[in-house]
């Protein structure tokens, strides 16, 4: 008896997320079908023109917008940005540097510093535990 392996597939929304693109901006055939793991790998290694265009100019999904602006997704929402933005719109926001963006960037910087501090503290605790002699095992 031979076993048939079925190709692993995913919904277009999942594939778009993995590709870092805004689903609604993708071609209709991409949105309406399913994407196999092989097709996804092919799109990642040899992106077609439409994917290159989306990655370069957008519209970009919120995680990409947040990353390009140096803020969190929640920070985008607090700033009133709820839609996908193009690269041009992102650059305009960076140039205008509104007060909400300055505040959210500062908040994000503090979060990063705190994350580093916690990691360092954990490393110290781990090192102290490693240095402590262990009692006999029973």
């Amino acid at each position: 008896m031979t076993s048939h392996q079925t190709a692993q597939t995913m919904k277009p929304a999942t594939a778009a997320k993995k590709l870092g693109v805004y689903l609604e901006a993708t071609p209709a055939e991409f949105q309406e079908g399913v994407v196999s793991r092989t097709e996804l790998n092919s799109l990642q290694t040899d992106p077609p023109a439409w994917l290159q265009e989306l990655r370069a100019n957008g519209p970009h999904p919120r995680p990409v917008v947040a990353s390009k602006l140096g803020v969190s997704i929640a920070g985008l929402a607090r700033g009133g940005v709820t839609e996908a933005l193009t690269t041009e719109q992102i650059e305009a926001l960076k140039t205008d540097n509104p007060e909400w963006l300055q505040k959210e960037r500062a908040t994000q910087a503090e979060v990063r510093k705190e994350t580093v501090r916690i990691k360092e503290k954990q490393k110290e605790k781990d090192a102290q535990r490693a240095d402590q002699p262990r009692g006999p095992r029973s």
Side-chain angles (χ1 to χ4, degrees):
M1 184 177 198
T2 60
S3 65
H4 291 8
Q5 280 193 331
T6 57
Q8 186 179 22
T9 59
M10 62 193 81
K11 294 177 182 176
T14 304
K17 188 180 246 183
K18 289 179 181 286
L19 293 169
V21 295
Y22 186 57
L23 178 63
E24 286 76 13
T26 62
E29 59 269 11
F30 181 85
Q31 292 180 38
E32 295 164 2
V34 293
V35 180
S36 72
R37 176 67 61 193
T38 305
E39 290 170 327
L40 179 69
N41 289 341
S42 174
L43 287 169
Q44 288 173 324
T45 56
D46 188 22
W50 65 264
L51 182 54
Q52 292 176 18
E53 175 67 20
L54 277 179
R55 285 179 169 168
N57 300 314
H60 302 287
R62 287 183 305 153
V64 174
V65 173
S67 175
K68 287 179 180 274
L69 290 173
V71 300
S72 67
I73 295 172
L76 281 180
R78 286 189 293 270
V81 178
T82 57
E83 298 296 318
L85 298 179
T86 63
T87 300
E88 189 176 307
Q89 291 169 315
I90 293 168
E91 292 304 318
L93 267 175
K94 285 181 179 178
T95 301
D96 293 346
N97 201 17
E99 188 177 327
W100 72 265
L101 182 57
Q102 294 172 35
K103 182 180 174 189
E104 291 300 332
R105 282 181 167 168
T107 300
Q108 192 69 7
E110 287 300 316
V111 167
R112 287 187 189 115
K113 274 198 258 182
E114 182 65 7
T115 301
V116 168
R117 187 190 68 76
I118 290 169
K119 282 183 180 179
E120 290 299 319
K121 191 173 181 179
Q122 188 60 46
K123 279 183 188 176
E124 287 175 18
K125 282 183 181 179
D126 292 345
Q128 286 175 355
R129 269 192 225 123
D131 290 344
Q132 290 177 353
R134 295 186 180 154
R137 294 185 181 187
S138 28

